Amino acid sequence: MSTQREVIETTADKLAAELARRGIAPNERIRVTIEPEEEIIPGRRESRALVIAAGLTDEDIDRLIDQARTEVQPLIK
């Protein structure tokens, strides 16, 4: 591993592939720093973490949103 600090800017789902591409072995220790980005919907990240901790998946969340949308649709004039 290089002795110099490197910055890798990528998405979470592509991080492992990027590390492998750079020759970093899966058992090597790394440090990942998450830089906060401007959120379109404030609190979304924290809310999502709570929902996942409760055992729900993204599909569950989508299903609940669709269900709520269906329930309120008749109330919209």
Side-chain angles (χ1 to χ4, degrees):
M1 190 163 157
S2 174
T3 58
Q4 293 193 353
R5 179 175 287 179
E6 294 183 55
V7 174
I8 299 171
E9 189 167 330
T10 188
T11 57
D13 63 331
K14 295 181 178 123
L15 181 59
E18 180 60 28
L19 294 172
R21 186 185 73 74
R22 292 171 183 247
I24 299 172
N27 62 341
E28 286 186 66
R29 294 191 52 82
I30 63 167
R31 177 177 294 160
V32 176
T33 302
I34 301 170
E35 297 278 336
E37 288 191 41
E38 186 73 29
E39 290 187 15
I40 294 174
I41 303 171
R44 183 182 183 280
R45 185 181 306 243
E46 293 83 3
S47 297
R48 186 171 188 277
L50 292 172
V51 169
I52 291 170
L56 297 172
T57 65
D58 285 331
E59 291 78 22
D60 295 328
I61 296 166
D62 291 341
R63 182 182 47 76
L64 290 169
I65 291 169
D66 288 340
Q67 179 182 343
R69 189 176 288 135
T70 301
E71 290 173 4
V72 300
Q73 194 67 34
L75 304 175
I76 300 173
K77 296 180 181 192

